[in-house]
Amino acid sequence: GVPQPPSTGGAPTPTRRTTARRAVSYDSWRFWWGYNKDELLDLRGALRGMAGVSGGNLGVVAGYEAGGEAPPEDLTARALETRIVPVLRALAEDGSVNFDIQASGVLGLAKMGRREAAGLMMKQARNAGPDQVHYVVEETAALSLGVLQDRSEPVRAFLRDLAADPSARTRTRCFAAFSLGLLADPALPDPATRLALEALVEAPEAKADVPSSALIALGLLGDPASAPRLRGWFVTGKAGGRVLPDVTLSYAAAALGRIGPSGLAEEERREVLDALFDRIRGRGLQTRYSAVIALGQFAPGCGAGMQDECVVALASIVKGAGRSGLDRQAVNFALAALGRIGGAKDAPPAVRDRAVQVLLGGVEDRGGSGSFAALGLALVGRGLPEPERIKFARPLRELLFRMSGDYETRGAQVLALGLLRDRESVAALMEMLVDRGNDPSLRGAAAVALGLIGEQGAVEAVRAAIEEKEDRTLKVDAAVAAGLLRDGGAVPRLVAVLEDPKASQFALGSAANGLGMIGDGRAIDPLARILGDAQLPPLTRALAAVALGRMGERADVPVLSRISRDVNYRAWFEAVGEVLTIL
């Protein structure tokens, strides 16, 4: 999972909806992995076509069967429809239950694509009249309208009005803006939403949260038509006559990166790149970080010359660590950006080679950046043919054999070898998984890596890890590994945890999370029982609702992960911090 942010370093520590148990430094690779792993693991994609595999019906929750298309009547999908949707709807409408349970019911309906619930969500998000809901339900409803993926004009118009309403709660307005971005349709631009978001950036606001959220949404919207105004705000550092604070300006950089160079003339691309280069050398710390990340997003759509310029600039950041204010975090983000550029589908060979050389030079860094270099190499190599992948895996494998330590020290190298599908690492990863003297999180990473490699010989060890009681992270990672290995036989072990009357809330939450991630019809009944048991703690019941919603989620990659992909998680403000804990 995503680690808990530290309590120092300029960012408050979120207290709600986070399952982390210990704080780690923001410099840790674990943040980057936590916010990008849904895309990299592609667990639902791995589960596609798995009906009937290994004696279970793993994978059919998403509506898939072997061969590709969904069957006309899928039993698991029908069970979710007939048994779970009514329960989630009843909880979403019940103001007498705990607010976390009610909010989880609302979000669960959204993940399952229940568009008939849009009216309820709009009512709760507006939260006026006698039947008012808790503010957590209110803001969750606003965000759920984006997760729902109902792109109808009434929903979009409602969200535009709510985001612009100064009388509404700030975080609810921010969530409404996020939803507008999540409803983006690349094939069908939405000028009304783009103009509304641009107006929010320029509107006078007491706090920077709403303009920052509008900039995030503009990046998600991805409309090149917003690039001119974004360029103007970013170059001048002003919007609507106001000077933009560092955090808000950082999201202008992020939006330019997400939108990319598509639709920009050559001279406009030049202006954007020069502005990003200038901000990297500037004094605003968060804007610097976001500009570094943006280079990794913007460069792949440019010509070979501009891509090479970006790689050279990022390489100079890596080389200049500790000088000119280029701290460790800037270096870490630069290494990840190099991975994005080198891993782009159409990356010119010379550009890729230059990026790889920088990354290879960084993997030996024991100060923390070596982990980012390892993940950057995995980004470059994971889509390449096996001979190329092996070239990247070899130095990581040799380094791992020489290293010692816990998850923080070695976890990134382990996961990178999994992403590179390095079969020569299997024996070492198996040993790491089964050795109970190892850090449980490191063992979980080894399980995930074995799943990514597709090592069927790891099935029994993964099942055994699921049954261990000591560590939640290990249990959930082992469940993910079981999904990647297409092991339906792991599901009864997780279900048994749910059906154990002596199981702790910790164990129940772990099992529910794991089942929600891998999906299997046999989990529906026990999850439904937890959901309907008023004697259980509210958080346990809420976790069951979240798991059921995730099982029924239509998208391969969760909709909310669009916000977290390549996010500058140091640029903290209350609304984005809350969304990142929900992920």
Side-chain angles (χ1 to χ4, degrees):
V2 182
Q4 180 179 325
S7 58
T8 58
T13 302
T15 57
R16 188 162 53 83
R17 297 195 183 113
T18 179
T19 58
R21 288 178 293 133
R22 61 175 180 174
V24 296
S25 166
Y26 265 127
D27 293 342
S28 171
W29 62 272
R30 295 164 61 182
F31 281 96
W32 188 92
W33 173 255
Y35 295 135
N36 289 276
K37 69 179 180 181
D38 281 332
E39 166 216 350
L40 299 175
L41 292 176
D42 189 21
L43 184 58
R44 284 297 179 94
L47 292 169
R48 189 181 292 119
M50 288 176 55
V53 174
S54 300
N57 60 343
L58 201 65
V60 299
V61 170
Y64 302 119
E65 65 173 2
E69 295 300 321
E73 290 186 332
D74 177 78
L75 293 177
T76 300
R78 197 189 319 163
L80 285 167
E81 175 75 23
T82 58
R83 288 212 57 204
I84 303 308
V85 169
V87 175
L88 291 177
R89 185 181 295 116
L91 291 175
E93 294 173 348
D94 187 355
S96 67
V97 299
N98 174 272
F99 62 83
D100 270 330
I101 298 174
Q102 187 177 15
S104 297
V106 174
L107 188 58
L109 289 174
K111 289 187 173 188
M112 296 179 73
R114 307 306 307 186
R115 295 191 178 184
E116 73 276 7
L120 171 65
M121 294 172 188
M122 288 190 282
K123 178 183 177 182
Q124 291 174 333
R126 180 54 75 180
N127 209 12
D131 299 323
Q132 292 194 18
V133 295
H134 192 279
Y135 75 87
V136 169
V137 179
E138 173 191 312
E139 64 191 32
T140 300
L143 186 64
S144 294
L145 286 165
V147 176
L148 187 63
Q149 295 293 280
D150 181 348
R151 296 187 172 94
S152 64
E153 178 54 24
V155 169
R156 283 172 158 164
F158 171 84
L159 289 168
R160 291 195 294 265
D161 289 344
L162 181 58
D165 184 355
S167 68
R169 293 183 66 254
T170 297
R171 198 154 69 188
T172 301
R173 296 176 63 195
C174 294
F175 280 19
F178 295 153
S179 282
L180 286 169
L182 293 172
L183 292 178
D185 182 351
L188 196 63
D190 180 10
T193 292
R194 172 176 58 80
L195 292 171
L197 291 170
E198 290 174 353
L200 285 176
V201 177
E202 295 190 332
E205 293 280 351
K207 296 174 64 177
D209 296 45
V210 173
S212 297
S213 299
L215 286 165
I216 291 173
L218 284 169
L220 294 169
L221 208 60
D223 189 344
S226 63
R229 294 182 83 174
L230 280 166
R231 286 199 321 274
W233 298 328
F234 189 61
V235 170
T236 64
K238 296 180 180 180
R242 294 181 297 107
V243 174
L244 296 177
D246 185 28
V247 167
T248 304
L249 193 61
S250 77
Y251 284 108
L256 286 168
R258 282 181 181 270
I259 293 170
S262 175
L264 297 181
E266 189 73 11
E267 62 272 17
E268 293 172 322
R269 295 181 180 189
R270 177 79 269 159
E271 184 181 354
V272 170
L273 279 184
D274 287 345
L276 290 172
F277 293 152
D278 287 344
R279 292 293 180 181
I280 288 171
R281 294 187 291 268
R283 300 179 66 179
L285 194 61
Q286 301 310 327
T287 303
R288 178 188 307 155
Y289 295 155
S290 290
V292 170
I293 295 169
L295 288 181
Q297 299 169 313
F298 194 86
C302 296
M306 285 188 174
Q307 288 193 48
D308 194 58
E309 277 188 72
C310 292
V311 170
V312 169
L314 293 167
S316 69
I317 292 170
V318 175
K319 185 177 180 180
R323 301 199 303 271
S324 303
L326 295 175
D327 62 11
R328 177 69 65 178
Q329 187 70 78
V331 172
N332 293 345
F333 283 150
L335 290 164
L338 285 165
R340 291 295 190 190
I341 296 172
K345 184 178 179 180
D346 299 320
V351 170
R352 176 177 290 148
D353 289 346
R354 189 191 290 269
V356 167
Q357 288 307 308
V358 178
L359 292 166
L360 284 171
V363 294
E364 295 277 358
D365 184 343
R366 301 297 181 91
S369 291
S371 296
F372 279 85
L375 292 169
L377 278 176
L379 290 178
V380 176
R382 67 192 181 107
L384 297 177
E386 185 175 7
E388 292 294 307
R389 295 201 311 271
I390 291 173
K391 284 197 309 184
F392 297 152
R394 186 177 297 114
L396 295 179
R397 187 189 325 122
E398 293 173 353
L399 177 63
L400 183 64
F401 291 164
R402 299 197 310 269
M403 294 174 73
S404 61
D406 60 4
Y407 182 59
E408 184 66 32
T409 306
R410 294 190 288 169
Q413 283 77 8
V414 168
L415 292 165
L417 288 167
L419 291 168
L420 291 168
R421 303 191 296 285
D422 181 45
R423 297 209 60 81
E424 293 189 42
S425 301
V426 166
L429 294 172
M430 282 290 297
E431 183 178 345
M432 190 176 291
L433 170 59
V434 301
D435 184 352
R436 294 198 177 195
N438 283 326
D439 174 358
S441 295
L442 184 62
R443 296 175 63 205
V448 171
L450 289 163
L452 287 165
I453 293 169
E455 175 51 46
Q456 290 300 311
V459 165
E460 289 302 325
V462 167
R463 291 180 179 178
I466 288 174
E467 293 183 329
E468 290 187 34
K469 300 178 180 179
E470 289 79 11
D471 189 87
R472 174 175 184 165
T473 300
L474 173 60
K475 191 183 295 291
V476 174
D477 283 345
V480 171
L484 293 169
L485 291 169
R486 306 184 177 191
D487 175 28
V491 172
R493 289 164 168 78
L494 289 166
V495 171
V497 175
L498 296 181
E499 295 179 328
D500 181 359
K502 297 181 179 179
S504 67
Q505 182 173 319
F506 176 84
L508 289 170
S510 302
N513 193 5
L515 286 165
M517 293 180 76
I518 65 177
D520 190 281
R522 288 168 290 180
I524 291 176
D525 284 344
L527 284 171
R529 283 196 292 273
I530 290 174
L531 195 57
D533 189 345
Q535 302 302 312
L536 289 174
L539 181 57
T540 301
R541 297 174 66 197
L543 284 168
V546 170
L548 287 163
R550 186 157 189 171
M551 288 174 69
E553 191 159 14
R554 295 183 174 188
D556 274 1
V557 179
V559 172
L560 282 175
S561 68
R562 298 176 198 171
I563 296 176
S564 67
R565 187 182 191 270
D566 286 331
V567 67
N568 173 11
Y569 41 82
R570 298 291 293 263
W572 195 96
F573 63 95
E574 189 178 23
V576 77
E578 185 67 13
V579 166
L580 292 178
T581 66
I582 295 172
L583 295 169

